[in-house]
Amino acid sequence: MKTNELDSPQNQTVEIRAFNFLKKFFDERGWSFPHYLKLDKECSAKELAQTLELPAEMIEAVFINGKAYQPEEGVVKPGDRVAFIPPGTPGPYRVLLGIKKLPNN
C-alpha cells in the first residue's frame, strides 16, 4: 500500500478520516484530511490501521461507507470511505452512529 497517491484511479484510492484524538496522528504526520491511500486489494480495517500506524487500543470502531464495524470485522476495499473512531465517544452518539450495537460494546 502506498500513502497519499492522489493520482491513482479513484477505484483504488481509499478516503480515510480519524476523529477526536486519533486525528492528531494525521496532523503530526502532515497528512491531508481526509487522507488518501492507494489500496491494491481488500484488507481488514485492523490491517489498514496497522498500515497507517494507528494504535489499536485507541480505535473502538471504524465506519466503512457509513456503517459501523469492529476494526477486525470491517473489510475495506479499494474505493471505500473509512473513518476511525476512538473510545469515549459520548453515549447518545454511540447509539445514533451504531457503535452501541456492535459486539463487545
Side-chain angles (χ1 to χ4, degrees):
M1 290 183 251
K2 299 177 185 173
T3 59
N4 259 355
E5 291 287 334
L6 294 176
D7 57 345
S8 65
Q10 181 63 30
N11 64 352
Q12 290 186 339
T13 302
V14 177
E15 179 182 308
I16 306 166
R17 298 173 191 267
F19 295 103
N20 203 340
F21 50 83
L22 284 171
K23 187 178 178 297
K24 76 175 182 174
F25 292 99
F26 284 53
D27 297 339
E28 289 170 355
R29 296 169 186 171
W31 291 351
S32 61
F33 192 80
H35 181 66
Y36 296 92
L37 176 77
K38 182 179 179 194
L39 190 64
D40 298 322
K41 61 181 181 170
E42 71 179 43
C43 64
S44 71
K46 182 177 181 178
E47 291 169 324
L48 180 61
Q50 290 170 338
T51 297
L52 296 169
E53 298 179 0
L54 297 175
E57 67 277 3
M58 294 179 75
I59 301 171
E60 179 177 18
V62 61
F63 289 103
I64 302 170
N65 299 322
K67 185 172 180 197
Y69 296 92
Q70 291 292 326
E72 53 280 338
E73 294 175 1
V75 176
V76 179
K77 298 175 185 157
D80 285 348
R81 295 176 67 209
V82 178
F84 291 100
I85 309 299
T89 301
Y93 295 105
R94 298 174 62 72
V95 175
L96 291 171
L97 296 173
I99 298 170
K100 183 68 175 161
K101 299 175 190 173
L102 294 176
N104 301 325
N105 280 314

